[in-house]
Amino acid sequence: MDVQHLTYLFVGLSFALYIGIAIWSRANSTNEFYVAGGKVHPIVNGAATAADWMSAASFLSMAGIIAFEGRDGARYLMGWTGGYVLLALLLAPYLRKFAKYTVPDFVGDRYYSQAARMVAVICVIFISFTYVSGQMRGVGIVFSRLLEVDISSGVIIGMAIVFFYAVMGGMKGITYTQVAQYCVLIFAYLVPAVFISILLTGKVIPQLGLGSTIADGSGMYLLDRLDGLTTELGMHAFTQGNKSTIDMFFITAALMAGTAGLPHVIVRFFTVPKVRDARISAGYALVFIAILYTTAPAVAAFARINIINNVHDLVYLDAPDWFSKWEDSGLIAWIDKNGDGRIQYSGGAALEGVTPRFIESRGLHGERLVANRASSNANELYIDQDIIVLAHPELADLPNWVIALVAAGGLAAALSTAAGLLLVISTSISHDLLKMTLMPGITERQELLFARIAAATAVGIAGLFGIYPPGFVAQVVAFAFGLAAATLFPIIMLGIFYKRMNREGAIAGMSVGLVFTFAYIAWFKFVSPETSNAEHWLLGISPEGIGTLGMILNFLVAFVVSRFTPPPPERVQAMVEHIRVPGKASQGVTT
């Protein structure tokens, strides 16, 4: 069976499974829609959390970034993994003991203020929409290759799928769907990695293959070979980095703090029965996540070697079918700058623009002509970083069923996180904005209806962000983490560990963090993208890392304002003491 039909089969079966689970676990109450009734087993919740956490950025884009950037790409591994540990140890158990539906719920009650709740709702919506745009683009990329359509059409198809099981099942349906999606995505990620590790190094375990010698009898280590290949072609060595130390630090810190402040991950810990279960499920989730995260650097190194060995200096007319199909999607482009009909892959950008936009004509050798002007660099090949994991099995000439499996895994990763984010948006609107603020008299049935309407609306807006993203998938996700680090993380930390923190400080801190970070990102990504370089960045900090500075401003402003305004009421200080004491259930708080 050919790749196309196998892909249809694998993806169709996985979608049938997800939709079947959504129908079986349909939410019938707000409690089930928001937190799955608070009855999810820790192992199940750990797998669901891992799927929720490992988005399209983890599955599709992280290995691509490491493949192209080398050591610099490790900032995503360090930031995301370290941030999850921070969340599991410092925040999750306390938030679960507080026993509320959402992060704005915690902020509103802890800071005894509807205004603080509203600011938190705004922060959650900003963060979630920024994050979900990366997921929808990931869905579009997979569908564009799967159905051989453009990315916009792929995003629309993904919107329809997410709409069905997120709006119908709520958190209950999403939880059990995400368990299935984790199984699909991790199997799809590991199988080709194992195949390619055996082919290149003879090692079954990819992590060992990364540090092993090449299986060609030369005795040369894989990373040494890769460094030699990249430097010969005018690129920087794979094991060396170009980013400044301060920017690497700020990006990694933003990813760590942003992880701990991501609302769709935090809410997962509200779905287990007890505080102890929140800790246990966090441990399981870390193990499940580590399986993919420790494999990603190996996948990146293998892919970079295979690109150089199998594509560089290839006669374009002899290129395999997969190359032409990725060209059709606009995610690979070749410009024959020297007229020799060969694909020359070397250092520098092939195009002046970021993403090719094809016009209906072909060049001398049959290549697609692009609207973007060719850059002055010698490099003739453009490869979108987000396709490395999807294209690698074809590049390495693996069996067709492996190629189809990876497509199903990429969709599972993108859809699982998209569904979790859309649920967070819907609950923030229906519960925090309407039920707790604007329309306190609505019934549970009405609240559930509003939640579904909000989720449906969010799907449409997320689709637009997926069609017109402000960057590649992992970069867009990094912006979301920066916003989370600058807004929610400091206020949650201070709310748990600093009794003196009051509503005035919380509102001021969140507002300053949000406005500063969003304005900085918007300026360099939308208003003046041509100035987005180290010469113009504040202190040399890129938009990806500015969330760390926003977080510092949040902490400082919140602390200073709280010291010059009245302390919180005694009941609030007693509540803070109570949630920090192990072994006692929360009093008077329902889930």
Side-chain angles (χ1 to χ4, degrees), residues 395-459:
L395 176 64
D397 200 24
L398 295 186
N400 289 345
W401 67 269
V402 177
I403 299 168
L405 180 65
V406 172
L411 287 172
L415 292 174
S416 62
T417 303
L421 289 163
L422 292 169
L423 183 69
V424 165
I425 293 169
S426 71
T427 54
S428 294
I429 293 172
S430 62
H431 181 71
D432 295 303
L433 184 61
L434 299 181
K435 176 68 174 178
M436 302 301 293
T437 308
L438 301 178
M439 303 168 64
I442 61 174
T443 65
E444 181 176 323
R445 185 183 183 88
Q446 290 173 318
E447 186 181 352
L448 185 59
L449 174 62
F450 285 130
R452 288 192 165 120
I453 292 173
T457 305
V459 169

Coordinates of all heavy atoms in Angstrom, one line a residue, residues 395-459:
L395 N 12.9 11.1 3.9 CA 14.3 11.4 3.6 C 15.2 10.2 3.8 O 16.2 10.0 3.0 CB 14.7 12.6 4.4 CG 16.2 13.1 4.4 CD1 16.5 13.6 3.0 CD2 16.4 14.2 5.4
A396 N 14.9 9.5 4.9 CA 15.8 8.3 5.2 C 15.3 7.0 4.5 O 15.9 6.0 4.8 CB 15.8 8.1 6.7
D397 N 14.3 7.1 3.7 CA 13.8 6.0 2.9 C 13.3 4.9 3.8 O 13.5 3.7 3.5 CB 14.9 5.5 1.9 CG 14.3 4.7 0.8 OD1 13.1 4.9 0.4 OD2 15.0 3.8 0.2
L398 N 12.5 5.3 4.8 CA 11.9 4.3 5.7 C 10.7 3.7 5.0 O 10.1 4.3 4.1 CB 11.6 4.9 7.0 CG 12.8 5.4 7.9 CD1 12.3 5.8 9.2 CD2 13.9 4.3 8.0
P399 N 10.2 2.6 5.6 CA 8.9 2.0 5.0 C 7.8 2.9 5.0 O 7.7 3.8 5.9 CB 8.7 0.8 5.9 CG 10.0 0.4 6.5 CD 10.7 1.7 6.6
N400 N 6.8 2.7 4.1 CA 5.7 3.6 4.0 C 4.8 3.7 5.2 O 4.3 4.7 5.6 CB 4.8 3.2 2.8 CG 5.5 3.5 1.5 OD1 6.4 4.2 1.4 ND2 4.9 2.9 0.4
W401 N 4.7 2.6 5.9 CA 3.9 2.6 7.1 C 4.5 3.5 8.2 O 3.7 4.0 9.0 CB 3.6 1.2 7.7 CG 4.8 0.4 8.2 CD1 5.7 -0.4 7.5 CD2 5.3 0.5 9.6 NE1 6.7 -0.8 8.4 CE2 6.4 -0.4 9.6 CE3 4.9 1.1 10.7 CZ2 7.2 -0.6 10.8 CZ3 5.6 0.9 11.9 CH2 6.7 0.1 11.9
V402 N 5.8 3.6 8.3 CA 6.4 4.5 9.3 C 6.1 5.9 8.9 O 5.8 6.7 9.8 CB 8.0 4.2 9.3 CG1 8.6 5.2 10.3 CG2 8.3 2.8 9.7
I403 N 6.2 6.3 7.6 CA 5.9 7.6 7.2 C 4.4 8.0 7.6 O 4.1 9.1 8.1 CB 6.1 7.8 5.7 CG1 7.5 7.5 5.3 CG2 5.7 9.1 5.2 CD1 7.8 7.3 3.9
A404 N 3.5 7.1 7.4 CA 2.1 7.3 7.7 C 1.9 7.4 9.2 O 1.1 8.2 9.7 CB 1.2 6.2 7.2
L405 N 2.6 6.6 10.0 CA 2.5 6.7 11.4 C 3.0 8.0 12.0 O 2.3 8.6 12.9 CB 3.4 5.5 12.0 CG 3.4 5.4 13.5 CD1 2.0 5.1 14.1 CD2 4.4 4.4 14.0
V406 N 4.0 8.6 11.4 CA 4.5 9.9 11.9 C 3.5 11.0 11.6 O 3.3 11.9 12.5 CB 5.9 10.2 11.2 CG1 6.3 11.7 11.6 CG2 6.9 9.3 11.7
A407 N 2.8 10.9 10.5 CA 1.7 11.9 10.2 C 0.6 11.8 11.3 O 0.1 12.8 11.8 CB 1.1 11.6 8.8
A408 N 0.2 10.6 11.6 CA -0.8 10.4 12.7 C -0.3 10.9 14.0 O -1.0 11.6 14.8 CB -1.2 8.9 12.8
G409 N 1.0 10.7 14.3 CA 1.6 11.2 15.6 C 1.6 12.7 15.6 O 1.3 13.3 16.7
G410 N 2.0 13.4 14.5 CA 2.0 14.8 14.5 C 0.7 15.4 14.7 O 0.5 16.4 15.5
L411 N -0.4 14.9 14.1 CA -1.7 15.3 14.4 C -2.1 15.1 15.8 O -2.8 16.0 16.4 CB -2.7 14.6 13.4 CG -2.6 15.1 12.0 CD1 -3.5 14.2 11.1 CD2 -3.1 16.5 11.8
A412 N -1.8 14.0 16.4 CA -2.1 13.7 17.8 C -1.5 14.8 18.7 O -2.2 15.3 19.6 CB -1.7 12.3 18.2
A413 N -0.3 15.1 18.5 CA 0.4 16.1 19.3 C -0.2 17.5 19.2 O -0.5 18.1 20.2 CB 1.9 16.2 18.9
A414 N -0.5 17.9 18.0 CA -1.1 19.2 17.8 C -2.5 19.3 18.3 O -2.9 20.3 19.0 CB -1.1 19.6 16.3
L415 N -3.3 18.3 18.1 CA -4.7 18.3 18.5 C -4.9 18.2 20.0 O -5.8 18.8 20.5 CB -5.5 17.2 17.8 CG -5.6 17.3 16.2 CD1 -6.3 16.0 15.7 CD2 -6.5 18.5 15.9
S416 N -4.0 17.4 20.6 CA -4.2 17.3 22.1 C -4.0 18.6 22.8 O -4.7 18.9 23.7 CB -3.2 16.2 22.6 OG -1.8 16.6 22.4
T417 N -2.9 19.3 22.4 CA -2.7 20.6 23.1 C -3.7 21.7 22.7 O -4.2 22.5 23.5 CB -1.3 21.1 22.8 OG1 -0.3 20.1 23.2 CG2 -1.0 22.4 23.5
A418 N -4.1 21.7 21.4 CA -5.1 22.6 21.0 C -6.4 22.5 21.7 O -7.0 23.4 22.2 CB -5.3 22.4 19.5
A419 N -6.8 21.2 22.0 CA -8.0 21.0 22.7 C -7.9 21.5 24.1 O -8.9 22.1 24.6 CB -8.4 19.5 22.7
G420 N -6.8 21.2 24.8 CA -6.6 21.7 26.2 C -6.7 23.2 26.2 O -7.3 23.8 27.2
L421 N -6.0 23.9 25.3 CA -6.0 25.3 25.3 C -7.4 25.9 25.0 O -7.8 26.9 25.7 CB -5.0 25.8 24.3 CG -3.6 25.6 24.6 CD1 -2.7 25.8 23.3 CD2 -3.1 26.6 25.7
L422 N -8.1 25.3 24.1 CA -9.5 25.8 23.8 C -10.4 25.6 25.0 O -11.3 26.5 25.2 CB -10.0 25.1 22.6 CG -9.3 25.4 21.2 CD1 -9.7 24.5 20.1 CD2 -9.6 26.9 20.8
L423 N -10.2 24.6 25.7 CA -11.0 24.4 26.9 C -10.7 25.5 28.0 O -11.6 26.0 28.6 CB -10.8 23.0 27.5 CG -11.6 22.7 28.7 CD1 -13.1 22.5 28.3 CD2 -11.1 21.4 29.4
V424 N -9.4 25.8 28.1 CA -9.1 26.9 29.1 C -9.7 28.2 28.7 O -10.2 28.9 29.5 CB -7.5 27.0 29.1 CG1 -7.1 28.3 29.8 CG2 -6.9 25.8 29.9
I425 N -9.7 28.5 27.4 CA -10.3 29.7 26.9 C -11.8 29.7 27.2 O -12.4 30.7 27.7 CB -10.1 29.9 25.4 CG1 -8.6 30.1 25.1 CG2 -10.9 31.1 24.9 CD1 -8.2 30.1 23.7
S426 N -12.5 28.6 26.9 CA -13.9 28.5 27.1 C -14.3 28.6 28.6 O -15.3 29.3 29.0 CB -14.5 27.2 26.5 OG -14.1 26.1 27.3
T427 N -13.5 28.0 29.5 CA -13.8 28.0 30.9 C -13.5 29.4 31.5 O -14.3 29.9 32.4 CB -13.0 27.0 31.7 OG1 -11.6 27.1 31.4 CG2 -13.5 25.6 31.3
S428 N -12.5 30.1 31.0 CA -12.2 31.4 31.4 C -13.4 32.4 31.1 O -13.7 33.3 31.9 CB -10.9 31.9 30.8 OG -9.8 31.2 31.2
I429 N -14.0 32.2 29.9 CA -15.1 33.0 29.5 C -16.4 32.7 30.2 O -17.0 33.5 30.8 CB -15.2 33.0 28.0 CG1 -14.0 33.6 27.3 CG2 -16.5 33.7 27.6 CD1 -14.0 33.4 25.8
S430 N -16.7 31.4 30.2 CA -18.0 31.0 30.7 C -18.0 31.0 32.3 O -19.0 31.4 32.9 CB -18.4 29.6 30.3 OG -17.4 28.6 30.7
H431 N -17.0 30.5 32.9 CA -17.0 30.5 34.4 C -16.5 31.7 35.0 O -17.2 32.3 35.9 CB -16.1 29.3 34.8 CG -16.0 29.1 36.3 ND1 -17.1 28.6 37.0 CD2 -15.0 29.3 37.2 CE1 -16.8 28.6 38.3 NE2 -15.5 29.0 38.4
D432 N -15.3 32.2 34.6 CA -14.7 33.3 35.3 C -15.3 34.7 34.9 O -15.5 35.5 35.7 CB -13.2 33.4 35.1 CG -12.4 32.2 35.7 OD1 -12.6 32.0 36.9 OD2 -11.8 31.4 34.9
L433 N -15.5 34.8 33.6 CA -16.0 36.1 33.1 C -17.6 36.2 33.3 O -18.1 37.2 33.8 CB -15.7 36.2 31.6 CG -16.1 37.6 30.9 CD1 -15.4 38.7 31.6 CD2 -15.8 37.5 29.5
L434 N -18.3 35.1 32.9 CA -19.8 35.2 33.0 C -20.3 34.8 34.4 O -20.9 35.6 35.1 CB -20.4 34.3 31.9 CG -20.0 34.7 30.5 CD1 -20.7 33.8 29.5 CD2 -20.4 36.2 30.2
K435 N -20.0 33.5 34.8 CA -20.6 33.0 36.0 C -20.1 33.8 37.2 O -20.9 34.1 38.1 CB -20.3 31.5 36.1 CG -20.7 30.9 37.4 CD -22.2 30.8 37.5 CE -22.7 30.0 38.8 NZ -24.1 29.9 38.9
M436 N -18.9 34.0 37.3 CA -18.3 34.6 38.5 C -18.3 36.1 38.5 O -18.0 36.8 39.5 CB -16.9 34.1 38.7 CG -16.7 32.6 38.8 SD -17.7 31.9 40.2 CE -16.8 32.6 41.6
T437 N -18.5 36.8 37.4 CA -18.4 38.2 37.3 C -19.6 38.9 36.7 O -20.3 39.6 37.4 CB -17.2 38.6 36.4 OG1 -16.0 37.9 36.9 CG2 -16.9 40.1 36.5
L438 N -19.9 38.6 35.4 CA -21.0 39.4 34.8 C -22.4 38.9 34.9 O -23.4 39.6 35.0 CB -20.6 39.5 33.3 CG -19.3 40.1 32.9 CD1 -19.1 40.1 31.4 CD2 -19.2 41.6 33.4
M439 N -22.5 37.5 35.0 CA -23.8 36.9 35.1 C -23.9 35.8 36.2 O -24.0 34.6 35.9 CB -24.2 36.3 33.7 CG -24.1 37.2 32.5 SD -24.2 36.4 30.9 CE -25.8 35.7 31.0
P440 N -23.8 36.3 37.4 CA -23.7 35.3 38.5 C -25.0 34.5 38.7 O -25.0 33.4 39.4 CB -23.4 36.2 39.8 CG -23.9 37.5 39.4 CD -23.7 37.6 37.9
G441 N -26.1 34.9 38.1 CA -27.3 34.2 38.3 C -27.6 33.1 37.3 O -28.7 32.4 37.4
I442 N -26.7 32.8 36.4 CA -27.0 31.8 35.4 C -27.0 30.4 36.0 O -26.3 30.2 37.0 CB -26.1 31.9 34.2 CG1 -24.6 31.6 34.6 CG2 -26.2 33.2 33.4 CD1 -23.6 31.6 33.5
T443 N -27.8 29.5 35.4 CA -27.9 28.1 35.9 C -26.7 27.3 35.4 O -25.9 27.8 34.5 CB -29.1 27.4 35.4 OG1 -29.1 27.3 34.0 CG2 -30.4 28.2 35.9
E444 N -26.5 26.1 35.9 CA -25.4 25.3 35.5 C -25.6 24.9 34.0 O -24.6 24.8 33.3 CB -25.3 24.0 36.4 CG -24.2 23.1 35.9 CD -24.0 21.9 36.9 OE1 -24.3 22.0 38.1 OE2 -23.7 20.8 36.4
R445 N -26.8 24.6 33.6 CA -27.1 24.3 32.2 C -26.7 25.4 31.3 O -26.1 25.2 30.2 CB -28.6 24.0 32.1 CG -29.0 23.4 30.7 CD -30.5 23.2 30.7 NE -30.9 22.7 29.4 CZ -30.9 21.4 29.1 NH1 -30.6 20.5 30.0 NH2 -31.3 21.0 27.9
Q446 N -27.0 26.7 31.7 CA -26.7 27.8 30.9 C -25.2 28.0 30.8 O -24.6 28.3 29.8 CB -27.4 29.1 31.4 CG -28.9 29.1 31.2 CD -29.5 30.3 32.0 OE1 -29.1 30.6 33.1 NE2 -30.5 30.9 31.3
E447 N -24.5 27.8 31.9 CA -23.1 28.0 32.0 C -22.4 26.9 31.1 O -21.4 27.3 30.4 CB -22.6 27.8 33.4 CG -21.1 28.0 33.6 CD -20.6 27.8 35.0 OE1 -21.5 27.6 35.9 OE2 -19.4 27.8 35.2
L448 N -22.9 25.7 31.0 CA -22.3 24.7 30.2 C -22.6 25.1 28.7 O -21.7 24.9 27.9 CB -23.0 23.3 30.5 CG -22.5 22.1 29.7 CD1 -21.0 21.9 30.0 CD2 -23.2 20.9 30.1
L449 N -23.7 25.6 28.4 CA -24.0 26.1 27.0 C -23.0 27.2 26.6 O -22.5 27.2 25.5 CB -25.4 26.6 26.9 CG -25.8 27.2 25.6 CD1 -25.7 26.2 24.4 CD2 -27.3 27.8 25.6
F450 N -22.8 28.2 27.5 CA -21.9 29.3 27.2 C -20.5 28.7 27.0 O -19.7 29.3 26.2 CB -22.0 30.3 28.3 CG -23.2 31.2 28.3 CD1 -23.9 31.4 29.4 CD2 -23.6 31.8 27.1 CE1 -25.1 32.2 29.4 CE2 -24.7 32.6 27.1 CZ -25.4 32.8 28.2
A451 N -20.1 27.7 27.8 CA -18.8 27.2 27.7 C -18.6 26.5 26.3 O -17.5 26.7 25.7 CB -18.6 26.1 28.8
R452 N -19.6 25.9 25.8 CA -19.5 25.2 24.5 C -19.5 26.3 23.4 O -18.8 26.2 22.4 CB -20.6 24.2 24.3 CG -20.4 23.0 25.1 CD -21.4 21.9 24.8 NE -21.0 20.6 25.3 CZ -21.7 19.9 26.2 NH1 -22.9 20.3 26.6 NH2 -21.2 18.7 26.6
I453 N -20.3 27.3 23.6 CA -20.3 28.4 22.6 C -18.9 29.1 22.5 O -18.4 29.4 21.5 CB -21.4 29.4 22.9 CG1 -22.8 28.8 22.7 CG2 -21.3 30.7 22.0 CD1 -23.9 29.7 23.1
A454 N -18.4 29.4 23.7 CA -17.0 30.0 23.8 C -16.0 29.1 23.2 O -15.1 29.6 22.5 CB -16.7 30.3 25.3
A455 N -16.0 27.8 23.4 CA -15.1 26.9 22.8 C -15.2 26.9 21.3 O -14.1 26.9 20.6 CB -15.3 25.5 23.3
A456 N -16.4 26.9 20.8 CA -16.6 27.0 19.3 C -16.1 28.3 18.7 O -15.4 28.2 17.6 CB -18.1 26.8 19.0
T457 N -16.3 29.4 19.4 CA -15.8 30.7 18.9 C -14.2 30.7 18.9 O -13.6 31.2 18.0 CB -16.3 31.8 19.8 OG1 -17.7 31.8 19.8 CG2 -15.9 33.2 19.2
A458 N -13.7 30.1 20.0 CA -12.2 30.1 20.1 C -11.6 29.2 19.0 O -10.5 29.5 18.6 CB -11.9 29.5 21.5
V459 N -12.3 28.2 18.6 CA -11.8 27.3 17.5 C -11.6 28.2 16.3 O -10.6 28.1 15.6 CB -12.7 26.1 17.3 CG1 -12.3 25.4 15.9 CG2 -12.6 25.1 18.4

